[in-house]
Amino acid sequence: MAPAQPRPQRRTRERAALRLLAAGLGLASSLALLGVIWPESDRSARDQGPPNAADLAEPPTRAISVLLIGSDADQLGTGTAATPANSDALLLVQVNPEGPLQLLSLPVEAAVQLPGDKKPVALGSLYKRGGPALVAGAAAQLVGLPQAQPDRYVVLPRAALRDLVDGIGRVELSPDRSMRYADKTQKYTIRLEGGLQVMDGQQVEQLLRFRDEADGEERRRDRQQMAVESVLRQMAQRQQLQQLPDLLQQLQGQVETNLTRSEALSLLAVALKPGERLEFRTLPLKAPQQPNNPLRALDAQAQRPWPN
């Protein structure tokens, strides 16, 4: 059994955690103000379904930022005290009715220093320590978001990812190589061929979970971008648009979010409109100073592409 933690140090950690949680929960203080931004009506309730993206719902009146947390747990609440869920994908999304759809990938291996901690920890490990609020607070500080942003968050477990892909009728993707991996402890196997193909939810999960021996996380982010672009293209098809309201309803109990269904449809009405331009970037990191060190420092000299 580990020795008991000194009382002063424990108090310092508790205060630090509360400060960071308060920073993350600061986004909740703007929820009342967002009431005047989101449209009141939800036109997606039409019996015949939306013929195009604009008919999903009225768009918001200003840009909305959403933090997407890809959980490495299969379902919400399936992590244990011994192996709590981490985030293996973090995306900041800005949906602007007057501009391009912007996605900023936050490297999960980025080193962050929490108040009260002696050593930096990986950004991807914050979800198991403080949930979406702690991740949102850290992301806001890393990127320099205005106060009370990101406006919303979505935690997407792996089962919800699979159901999302299957719900929109599978997606077309082109892996750059064959992928083979087997984990006997988790009873999980990855077996994918390279080249253009149509993938179901289980195959997309394998694609996003696979890590190369060299530049593993960087290559995973490239595949994340490819998957996001393909999912959005498939969602924008007329038949899939008609099914989106029902699909969001089915996924509601599988994700953790402070987005309402009408708000989600409002954002999709912007993201899926014809000709919408997608800008995908990654928060810049420095080259690792120590071999085999999983943590990477932010590159303070590089241009920060978010927000505009």
Side-chain angles (χ1 to χ4, degrees):
M1 181 178 295
Q5 191 179 54
R7 187 179 301 273
Q9 184 178 358
R10 183 166 62 250
R11 289 178 178 173
T12 300
R13 287 177 176 272
E14 291 173 351
R15 289 196 297 268
L18 287 174
R19 285 198 298 269
L20 268 169
L21 284 173
L25 287 171
L27 62 92
S29 64
S30 65
L31 299 188
L33 295 177
L34 284 171
V36 299
I37 296 171
W38 299 104
E40 294 182 2
S41 61
D42 182 4
R43 292 192 289 166
S44 66
R46 294 177 178 176
D47 294 336
Q48 297 180 351
N52 52 62
D55 286 318
L56 284 170
E58 295 288 348
T61 59
R62 70 157 172 84
I64 301 295
S65 58
V66 181
L67 175 64
L68 177 60
I69 302 173
S71 170
D72 65 0
D74 194 65
Q75 297 176 344
L76 293 175
T78 56
T80 66
T83 57
N86 289 298
S87 51
D88 55 8
L90 291 171
L91 289 174
L92 265 176
V93 184
Q94 180 167 274
V95 183
N96 188 349
E98 303 298 330
L101 178 65
Q102 294 181 302
L103 290 90
L104 178 65
S105 179
L106 304 178
V108 294
E109 73 273 28
V112 292
Q113 184 77 43
L114 297 182
D117 282 3
K118 294 182 178 180
K119 295 182 179 179
V121 296
L123 179 62
S125 70
L126 298 188
Y127 177 66
K128 67 181 179 183
R129 296 182 62 173
L134 185 59
V135 181
Q141 292 185 23
L142 286 175
V143 180
L145 292 178
Q147 188 175 5
Q149 288 194 24
D151 298 300
R152 293 289 192 266
Y153 71 86
V154 178
V155 180
L156 186 72
R158 289 171 176 167
L161 170 67
R162 295 193 299 268
D163 289 347
L164 170 64
V165 173
D166 292 338
I168 60 175
R170 305 195 298 179
V171 294
E172 189 177 78
L173 290 166
S174 182
D176 58 342
R177 50 165 291 187
S178 298
M179 301 176 188
R180 299 289 186 270
Y181 175 77
D183 189 330
K184 294 182 179 180
T185 60
Q186 298 186 34
K187 298 180 180 179
Y188 187 78
T189 301
I190 295 176
R191 188 178 182 85
L192 294 175
E193 302 299 332
L196 184 63
Q197 57 197 281
V198 176
M199 291 188 171
D200 60 17
Q202 188 177 52
Q203 292 171 311
V204 172
E205 178 193 1
Q206 293 181 25
L207 178 74
L208 297 179
R209 290 183 67 174
F210 184 78
R211 289 188 59 185
D212 294 89
E213 294 183 2
D215 300 325
E217 292 298 342
E218 293 182 12
R219 298 292 294 275
R220 286 176 71 179
R221 283 190 285 274
D222 292 339
R223 298 182 187 115
Q224 289 171 15
Q225 177 179 353
M226 178 174 60
V228 168
E229 292 173 343
S230 184
V231 166
L232 290 176
R233 283 197 304 268
Q234 182 68 6
M235 280 185 173
Q237 301 297 317
R238 181 184 177 91
Q239 182 179 359
Q240 309 311 325
L241 284 172
Q242 294 176 349
Q243 299 174 358
L244 276 182
D246 290 338
L247 179 58
L248 291 183
Q249 186 69 31
Q250 295 170 14
L251 293 174
Q252 187 172 0
Q254 299 185 50
V255 302
E256 180 184 356
T257 183
N258 56 355
L259 267 172
T260 67
R261 176 173 171 272
S262 61
E263 290 172 353
L265 289 171
S266 178
L267 297 180
L268 287 173
V270 177
L272 301 179
K273 65 184 179 182
E276 179 69 2
R277 186 161 52 93
L278 174 64
E279 294 182 354
F280 201 108
R281 299 184 178 92
T282 300
L283 198 65
L285 296 176
K286 290 182 178 179
Q289 297 181 348
Q290 300 177 359
N292 301 322
N293 185 357
L295 299 184
R296 301 276 300 278
L298 289 177
D299 188 351
Q301 304 300 320
Q303 180 180 3
R304 297 291 181 86
W306 180 281
N308 281 339

